[in-house]
Amino acid sequence: MTAPPLPAADGEDEHHRIAGALVPFHEAVRTWFTISLQTFGGPAGQIAVMQHTLVEDKRWIGQQRFNHALSYCMLLPGPEAQQLAIYIGWLLNGTRGGLAAGTLFVLPGVLALLALSAIYVAFGTTTAVTGLFAGLAPAVVAIVAQAVWRVGRRSLANPALTALAVASFGALSLFGAPFPLVIIAAALIGRLLVRFAPHMLKAAAEHGKADGIAPLIPDDALHHEPPGRRRAARILLVGLALWTVPLAAVAVLTGPGSVFTTQGLFFSGTALVTFGGAYAVLAYVAQQAVQQYGWLSAGEMVRGLALAETTPGPLIMVVQFVAFLGAYRDPGALNPWAAGLLGALLTTWATFVPCFLFIFLGAPYIERLRGNRSVSAALTGITAAVVGVIANLALYFAEHTLFRRLDTITAGPLQVTLPDITTLRPAALAITATAMLLIFKLRWSVLRTLGICATLGLAAALIGMPGT
């Protein structure tokens, strides 16, 4: 059904009254929890799950508003999928909605990776554990491929935007262009389009309106908390306190030279520079964690990445695994298991609390700019580029899942990573093909597909099939 017209809101209380009348908070929380259990496959899969649930299934939010929020989140440091969840949660239920959405988005991944980190420390690379992970990774390849298709189908309304997505993919995958440069270029192209070919952006806007039932809260009727200097100062003060006080407390209690203090400061810094998603910063994290701090080996860093790839939540959650191992091996006066838990939780706090701060500070201003043609055009360009970014992530993950070795060919500005065909993993290829069939042809759910693929991976490992 179509939502009734809504009166203008004067402040946050009215915003909560309107949102609560249309999307009850308890129902929103239940939905965010359901989404959190399906956030496999990195940002591509996570964005696709939210789009399917919130835009296509429940029709709580329109495609245009979804794309607008996603484009803003892509500009921020940190995991864009979690920030998108915070943004939409704030739109639907105000501050408490953003807190619930963002917390639930990462909670299953935090608990799962804590358990897997403990299992890794206790049992190492046993056949059963290796087999389960070997089955989950190919399933994620299919999930990400589905995400590229879904996001592209909704966002690429005309040849110009399709070309922009292809160009973004090529810039990242063939020339190793910095992610911020790609996003800036996409924004500038969007502004040029609104000036010289406005009909293309109009077509994009019409394309962004999903067919069928109108959103429960239409784009032009969803009210938001008004921005203001007093509000911004309050959020900045509270957010910085919540972020830094636990870090300062740990530094005081364990000493400035402890592994916990070092990890808290290091990962707080990385939280501010993770533009372009986890892959853009993981090379730096790996270098520092392995070579400078010695928290784990290079091989363990790769295994930690595999664990993060196959658990729900943002891929940057791999830093929790890094911190767990580092603190477990240098516990100071604590029990090693308690030290690992403290290091992991402190690192998770330092990594994700800034996401809430960025969204609560900036979202009201971004909402006010939705009617600005230049800003909307720039964000439309960014949305198109995001499709290319997600496709590049899909390629990256597929190559590293299906092949044991990759070779980089450099010729001037060209930087192409090609797999060594002789290192193909037969088991991974077979499970990937099965996952593609289940998701694209049979339209199985993500969780059901992951269960089947994990079982196949375990069976392949037990019989000693190559490629596990």
Side-chain angles (χ1 to χ4, degrees):
M1 65 178 177
T2 303
L6 301 178
D10 295 325
E12 185 177 3
D13 291 340
E14 180 69 9
H15 168 78
H16 284 165
R17 186 187 71 78
I18 291 173
L22 295 176
V23 183
F25 182 66
H26 67 86
E27 183 179 349
V29 169
R30 185 165 58 248
T31 299
W32 286 116
F33 179 71
T34 301
I35 289 174
S36 73
L37 299 179
Q38 304 177 58
T39 53
F40 294 88
Q46 294 154 10
I47 292 167
V49 168
M50 283 189 282
Q51 174 168 303
H52 174 73
T53 302
L54 303 173
V55 178
E56 300 173 8
D57 185 14
K58 292 188 174 293
R59 302 295 296 132
W60 282 354
I61 185 171
Q63 187 67 46
Q64 288 177 286
R65 180 63 66 86
F66 185 89
N67 288 346
H68 183 87
L70 175 59
S71 298
Y72 169 61
C73 294
M74 291 295 293
L75 296 174
L76 299 173
E80 61 270 22
Q82 191 220 8
Q83 290 166 341
L84 179 62
I86 298 170
Y87 195 124
I88 297 177
W90 172 79
L91 285 174
L92 295 173
N93 296 98
T95 301
R96 65 173 182 169
L99 291 171
T103 301
L104 288 173
F105 192 86
V106 299
L107 187 58
V110 169
L111 298 177
L113 201 54
L114 270 177
L116 291 173
S117 298
I119 290 172
Y120 178 82
V121 169
F123 301 105
T125 54
T126 62
T127 300
V129 173
T130 302
L132 288 173
F133 295 152
L136 289 172
V140 174
V141 174
I143 294 168
V144 174
Q146 182 191 45
V148 174
W149 167 253
R150 282 182 171 176
V151 177
R153 183 182 59 184
R154 288 293 186 185
S155 302
L156 305 180
N158 55 57
L161 296 179
T162 302
L164 183 54
V166 173
S168 300
F169 173 80
L172 293 166
S173 62
L174 300 180
F175 297 97
F179 175 83
L181 181 61
V182 172
I183 293 300
I184 291 172
L188 292 176
I189 292 172
R191 295 196 64 176
L192 290 175
L193 284 176
V194 77
R195 181 174 181 180
F196 297 106
H199 61 282
M200 290 189 175
L201 294 185
K202 183 178 180 181
E206 293 299 321
H207 184 79
K209 298 177 181 178
D211 297 331
I213 300 175
L216 183 61
I217 307 177
D219 284 344
D220 57 354
L222 179 58
H223 298 294
H224 49 270
E225 188 175 8
R229 279 183 288 186
R230 290 183 59 186
R231 175 191 177 278
R234 183 176 70 253
I235 289 178
L236 188 62
L237 181 63
V238 173
L240 289 176
L242 288 173
W243 186 15
T244 59
V245 166
L247 304 179
V250 168
V252 169
L253 293 174
T254 64
S258 72
V259 66
F260 310 105
T261 302
T262 303
Q263 288 179 347
L265 292 175
F266 174 70
F267 289 113
S268 292
T270 59
L272 299 176
V273 297
T274 52
F275 293 96
Y279 288 119
V281 77
L282 280 181
Y284 171 72
V285 170
Q287 181 185 36
Q288 297 298 307
V290 174
Q291 298 178 13
Q292 178 171 338
Y293 298 114
W295 292 331
L296 72 176
S297 68
E300 288 175 326
M301 185 70 197
V302 174
R303 286 191 283 275
L305 179 59
L307 292 178
E309 293 278 16
T310 53
T311 54
L315 180 59
I316 196 64
M317 197 77 75
V318 67
V319 299
Q320 179 181 297
F321 175 82
V322 173
F324 187 97
L325 264 62
Y328 180 88
R329 291 164 178 170
D330 185 16
L334 296 179
N335 174 276
W337 289 103
L341 178 62
L342 176 60
L345 294 180
L346 183 67
T347 295
T348 300
W349 184 269
T351 300
F352 292 106
V353 168
C355 296
F356 294 92
L357 181 59
F358 296 148
I359 296 300
F360 291 148
L361 271 179
Y365 296 94
I366 295 298
E367 284 297 296
R368 289 292 178 94
L369 293 173
R370 283 191 299 115
N372 185 294
R373 290 185 66 204
S374 295
V375 173
S376 295
L379 293 179
T380 297
I382 293 172
T383 300
V386 165
V387 179
V389 172
I390 297 174
N392 181 62
L393 293 179
L395 175 64
Y396 178 96
F397 191 66
E399 288 179 332
H400 285 76
T401 299
L402 298 178
F403 299 92
R404 296 185 184 277
R405 199 181 83 186
L406 304 173
D407 299 318
T408 301
I409 300 175
T410 303
L414 188 67
Q415 298 179 7
V416 181
T417 301
L418 297 176
D420 183 345
I421 302 299
T422 62
T423 64
L424 175 69
R425 294 183 168 111
L429 179 61
I431 298 174
T432 300
T434 301
M436 290 284 189
L437 175 65
L438 296 178
I439 285 180
F440 282 95
K441 183 68 175 178
L442 302 181
R443 301 185 184 279
W444 279 24
S445 68
V446 169
L447 293 179
R448 191 178 180 189
T449 300
L450 286 168
I452 292 296
C453 291
T455 303
L456 292 175
L458 178 60
L462 292 177
I463 67 175
M465 182 176 179
T468 58

